[in-house]
Amino acid sequence: MHSWVGLKLSLLMFIVCVTGTLAVISHEVDWLINSKLRIEAQSNQAIDWEAMYANIQREYPNNTSIALNAPLYSNFASIATVNDAERGVLRVFVNPYTGEVLGDAAWYASFQRVVRDLHRYLLAPKGGIYLVGPLGVILLISTITALFFYKRWWRGFFKIRLNNGSRAFWGSLHKVIGLWSLWFLLLIGITGTWYLVEGIMSDAGMRIQHERVLIDEDVLSKRPFMVEHIPVSEVITIATQQFEHFSPNIIVIPRNQTSPIYVGGYADALLSRPRANAVYIDPVSGDVLNVITTKGASALLNWVDMADSLHFGNFAGLVVKLIWLVFGVLLCMMSASGIVVFVKRIQNRRDEGWVKTILGGARFLTYILLLVPLIFGSTIWLYSQNAIAFVLQEQEVLLLVEGDGEFPSATMYIGTKDENTVVHVSFNCASACLPKKHRLELVFSNGDAKKFKSGFSGFRGAPSAVFATSKVPTISHVSVTMDNQEVFQLKPTTRITTDE
């Protein structure tokens, strides 16, 4: 049972083990190969969140949201995720102590992102978890069955057979590595199985994330179309006051007035991710809308926030990462040595071919699975070369039209271009599903209207309304008309839903 379970998908298992091991130190590898990430270490200087945000706003005026991250180490630049309306999602590298923007790269132009996604779902975000997740189950089964297969296993921690031939050596090495790595095998098997369970629960409609907070519509209805955010320094102060001990790690600042500012970080819980301790803040008033803590969360939510830390060993600095790296290498060696032992055992059947003998009928499944990262990897390469803009839909607005059914969801962008402001509404479907003869106009408080026009002056050349930035305070709404009759008004008070 142990050999059959471990061998049939041994090649895919080996690839996942190698990519998982590399994912442990992927941030550090990025630092080595990307000069924009390397800065002079500043061990005692505080992070200047305000300067980082201000400089990114100036360099990327067409952004729809900015997520600022604390540096991983004192000699690492901060990585801000900027959703630019024209270029898509970007990684922007910023000196966290001076706020200087050091450069940017496409979202997938990152060793860490590619290796992590290859490990978790073979670069196939839709459904890939169902290809990799079962390997966690197989690892658990292989580990447990090995304890029954290997008699008196607790006596074999130092039994490497050096003088009984290569087959005996590789077999004993396989067992010794497995014994010393037993705790690690169980940990990776359990967390890997959990990722599969988590994917199934998510696809079944079961929400296992913290509830997202929206600003009350009554509050929004009393505000102008666009209002200045409170300073980022004030955001940090407000968030820090909600905890006894709190170190901010990520700040997400949207450009719209309907989504709160999100601040996640580390509190007293050792194994939790930053989102396990977070604060939602009204971007205009500074009111605290919700506080999330590990103490107030359910056991399931705490486990969700612990699983990644346990799987990748990123909860206590570089020393723990190096321990995970060593045992990750041992896991790869154990996987490879198991294959070698089986090959030695079937040497007399070489005429059938080793791949056929080892994998059997499962080799065809393995070939198909290995095609997945090759197919999706080509798209990833285009993203990394800025050939395709990887766009996140930050604001999805459902436009209801009385008497004519429903408009599809749409994304509304507001940004500056040169000395002008641009408003663009993009419907999230093919044009065939839109009501015929619909028209969009930007209406100002004095009754003037600006028609949406196509052209390169807008976002990605799509229909946009372009006007002087000085007129922003006088915006009233976006009017949706059909047959010269207004059927709906898109205002800031319209319910906006976003995914974390």
Side-chain angles (χ1 to χ4, degrees):
M1 178 68 175
H2 173 79
S3 298
W4 187 89
V5 171
L7 284 168
K8 294 307 176 184
L9 292 174
S10 55
L11 181 58
L12 185 61
M13 177 73 81
F14 181 74
I15 292 173
V16 171
C17 289
V18 170
T19 54
T21 301
L22 292 174
V24 170
I25 55 167
S26 56
H27 289 287
E28 290 76 6
V29 173
D30 263 339
W31 184 85
L32 290 173
I33 63 180
N34 185 355
S35 60
K36 298 172 186 176
L37 271 171
R38 298 193 291 269
I39 64 171
E40 185 178 349
Q42 302 286 339
S43 57
N44 297 320
Q45 191 169 346
I47 297 174
D48 195 336
W49 297 95
E50 190 79 60
M52 284 199 294
Y53 177 69
N55 289 337
I56 292 174
Q57 281 279 57
R58 184 176 62 254
E59 295 290 335
Y60 303 89
N62 288 339
N63 75 81
T64 58
S65 69
I66 296 174
L68 302 173
N69 293 277
L72 189 61
Y73 304 105
S74 62
N75 60 342
F76 272 55
S78 289
I79 301 176
T81 305
V82 176
N83 192 3
D84 188 82
E86 293 183 336
R87 297 176 59 192
V89 182
L90 303 173
R91 293 174 181 270
V92 178
F93 309 103
V94 191
N95 188 314
Y97 312 111
T98 66
E100 178 188 0
V101 175
L102 305 174
D104 62 44
W107 172 249
Y108 267 110
S110 163
F111 178 83
Q112 183 273 335
R113 186 72 269 158
V114 173
V115 170
R116 174 68 181 267
D117 287 358
L118 180 60
H119 173 70
R120 187 162 186 178
Y121 41 65
L122 297 180
L123 301 179
K126 298 295 184 181
I129 187 64
Y130 296 108
L131 304 178
V132 177
L135 296 180
V137 180
I138 291 174
L139 183 61
L140 269 181
I141 294 175
S142 298
T143 303
I144 294 171
T145 55
L147 297 179
F148 290 97
F149 176 76
Y150 186 13
K151 302 300 181 182
R152 292 197 274 277
W153 55 266
W154 54 89
R155 298 181 179 179
F157 280 88
F158 299 97
K159 291 185 178 180
I160 297 181
R161 300 164 67 181
L162 299 174
N163 302 317
N164 299 90
S166 61
R167 177 179 169 184
F169 167 75
W170 286 105
S172 63
L173 180 65
H174 182 78
K175 294 172 184 177
V176 169
I177 292 176
L179 289 174
W180 283 100
S181 305
L182 185 59
W183 68 274
F184 189 73
L185 292 169
L186 292 173
L187 178 64
I188 298 302
I190 291 171
T191 51
T193 300
W194 163 249
Y195 289 139
L196 175 62
V197 174
E198 184 180 37
I200 294 172
M201 293 174 66
S202 178
D203 288 344
M206 300 174 62
R207 184 173 179 83
I208 51 175
Q209 305 289 345
H210 299 284
E211 289 295 330
R212 192 167 183 81
V213 179
L214 294 173
I215 302 172
D216 187 84
E217 291 184 0
D218 291 336
V219 174
L220 293 174
S221 64
K222 300 175 183 178
R223 291 180 181 168
F225 193 82
M226 295 185 71
V227 186
E228 288 293 326
H229 285 166
I230 59 175
V232 177
S233 57
E234 186 176 342
V235 170
I236 295 296
T237 300
I238 294 171
T240 305
Q241 290 174 345
Q242 310 309 310
F243 300 87
E244 185 176 353
H245 304 287
F246 184 69
S247 176
N249 183 263
I250 179 172
I251 306 174
V252 181
I253 307 173
R255 284 290 294 268
N256 64 76
Q257 303 299 309
T258 56
S259 298
I261 295 175
Y262 169 86
V263 183
Y266 297 104
D268 295 324
L270 176 63
L271 296 174
S272 293
R273 288 186 285 189
R275 71 181 187 187
N277 296 281
V279 184
Y280 289 90
I281 301 171
D282 187 307
V284 176
S285 67
D287 294 339
V288 175
L289 304 177
N290 191 27
V291 178
I292 297 171
T293 65
T294 51
K295 295 179 181 178
S298 65
L300 176 60
L301 284 176
N302 279 326
W303 165 249
V304 170
D305 290 326
M306 289 171 54
D308 253 25
S309 300
L310 291 171
H311 194 79
F312 294 102
N314 55 0
F315 57 88
L318 187 59
V319 173
V320 173
K321 281 189 175 185
L322 292 177
I323 294 173
W324 257 244
L325 175 65
V326 169
F327 279 94
V329 172
L330 290 177
L331 181 56
C332 296
M333 291 175 59
M334 189 180 67
S335 178
S337 63
I339 297 174
V340 172
V341 169
F342 188 77
V343 169
K344 295 288 184 182
R345 188 182 303 166
I346 52 92
Q347 283 185 5
N348 295 330
R349 290 183 281 168
R350 284 186 181 179
D351 55 319
E352 297 182 8
W354 286 351
V355 174
K356 181 178 180 180
T357 303
I358 294 173
L359 302 180
R363 68 186 185 280
F364 299 109
L365 176 60
T366 300
Y367 297 153
I368 294 172
L369 292 179
L370 292 178
L371 283 175
V372 173
L374 292 177
I375 295 172
F376 283 90
S378 61
T379 304
I380 297 300
W381 182 84
L382 290 173
Y383 283 138
S384 68
Q385 301 300 311
N386 280 311
I388 299 177
F390 184 76
V391 178
L392 291 178
Q393 300 296 333
E394 292 292 340
Q395 306 170 38
E396 295 184 354
V397 186
L398 188 64
L399 309 183
L400 301 179
V401 183
E402 296 181 5
D404 293 288
E406 296 183 354
F407 269 82
S409 63
T411 303
M412 182 175 179
Y413 297 105
I414 302 176
T416 57
K417 191 174 183 68
D418 300 325
E419 297 181 354
N420 294 324
T421 290
V422 185
V423 174
H424 162 55
V425 176
S426 173
F427 293 102
N428 300 324
C429 71
S431 59
C433 74
L434 292 172
K436 295 181 179 179
K437 298 182 180 179
H438 75 278
R439 189 177 65 182
L440 300 176
E441 286 186 336
L442 183 65
V443 181
F444 298 92
S445 57
N446 62 0
D448 292 343
K450 185 79 173 181
K451 293 181 180 179
F452 280 62
K453 296 181 179 180
S454 298
F456 293 103
S457 60
F459 290 105
R460 297 186 292 278
S464 305
V466 184
F467 55 96
T469 302
S470 60
K471 298 187 66 175
V472 169
T474 67
I475 292 176
S476 173
H477 61 272
V478 173
S479 174
V480 181
T481 63
M482 291 175 57
D483 297 325
N484 297 320
Q485 183 177 357
E486 184 177 74
V487 293
F488 188 79
Q489 292 183 359
L490 176 59
K491 297 181 178 181
T493 55
T494 303
R495 174 61 68 187
I496 294 180
T497 59
T498 60
D499 294 327
E500 290 193 28

